[in-house]
Amino acid sequence: MTATAVLTARALLLDMDGTLVNSDAVVERIWRRWADRHGLDGDEVLKVVHGRQGHASMAVLLPHRSKEQNLADNARMLAEETSDMDGVVPVPGAPEFLASLLGVAHALVTSADVGLSTARMAAAGLPLPHVRITAESVGASKPDPEGFLKGAAELGVAPADCVVFEDSGAGIAAGRAAGMRVVGVGPRAGIHRPDVVVRDLTQVRVEPAESGAVRLHIG
């Protein structure tokens, strides 16, 4: 991996939490409370939950619990998360990065549902991309590649011509399984072997290229 690179792509697929929006404060509050309720270590829980849908994290953390229980618990968690925007802010460089994508094929691919993704992007003052793949759009959570493959299909771009922006291990694994190159964003990303890593989105510059492609100057 290198912190300096130029990648050419025809479409960009963007995770939300940890990539465009810093929601770590609320994620930590809510999942630590959940961990306490279930007698689990909060630090260990937080190692699992980033990037996954809530019920998928619960399936890992409480493997003997039924899918129905996890889905019901996840619905409660989503309601709690959607009502708590305290500390939700944009990742540095996110407003400028999204503004630079005018005319560039791009999609939001998030494990959040429509309500949560809409609320968090608004709280961070960020515009929602026209194409959005949310929890309702897929049958399998990251690290399954379904979301990224659906995003590419919605944009009409081959997976190999897409670049994913992700912060979590589950998301980076999903992007790689989809056959896409991955830019890792933030402190969690580096250990999961994305193609390149940036501290935040201030280290990414978007330049138009020929035939509708873009060059990403990383670093």
Side-chain angles (χ1 to χ4, degrees):
M1 294 185 296
T2 175
T4 305
V6 178
L7 302 177
T8 301
R10 299 190 64 81
L12 308 182
L13 301 177
L14 314 173
D15 174 53
M16 182 181 70
D17 291 303
T19 301
L20 298 174
V21 173
N22 182 346
S23 56
D24 283 0
V26 63
V27 169
E28 180 160 338
R29 278 197 300 276
I30 286 174
W31 279 100
R32 285 192 183 279
R33 286 201 296 264
W34 182 89
D36 287 344
R37 289 198 296 269
H38 294 280
L40 299 174
D41 181 270
D43 291 338
E44 295 304 312
V45 166
L46 288 169
K47 291 177 183 178
V48 171
V49 301
H50 291 290
R52 291 180 168 87
Q53 292 184 35
H55 64 85
S57 296
M58 293 169 189
V60 172
L61 294 162
L62 298 174
H64 302 299
R65 198 164 73 159
S66 72
K67 180 179 180 180
E68 290 72 24
Q69 286 177 294
N70 289 338
L71 288 171
D73 204 359
N74 185 55
R76 289 189 292 270
M77 291 278 284
L78 281 171
E80 194 176 351
E81 288 183 282
T82 304
S83 67
D84 185 353
M85 294 295 133
D86 187 22
V88 174
V89 295
V91 165
E96 297 81 4
F97 174 69
L98 286 172
S100 75
L101 300 187
L102 183 65
V104 176
H106 66 287
L108 187 73
V109 182
T110 175
S111 293
D113 67 359
V114 169
L116 182 57
S117 58
T118 301
R120 281 190 178 162
M121 290 289 280
L126 299 176
L128 279 166
H130 178 68
V131 177
R132 300 184 289 275
I133 306 298
T134 62
E136 297 93 338
S137 309
V138 298
S141 171
K142 300 171 185 176
D144 191 282
E146 181 185 0
F148 287 123
L149 293 172
K150 282 199 169 184
E154 287 273 343
L155 295 171
V157 177
D161 291 327
C162 296
V163 169
V164 164
F165 283 74
E166 265 285 1
D167 72 301
S168 70
I172 290 167
R176 295 180 72 87
M180 302 171 183
R181 292 157 294 162
V182 181
V183 176
V185 180
R188 282 188 291 270
I191 63 171
H192 300 293
R193 303 180 62 82
D195 294 279
V196 294
V197 182
V198 295
R199 178 185 65 253
D200 55 44
L201 294 172
T202 64
Q203 295 186 298
V204 182
R205 182 169 61 86
V206 180
E207 176 189 39
E210 57 282 349
S211 304
V214 293
R215 292 189 189 90
L216 302 172
H217 296 265
I218 309 289

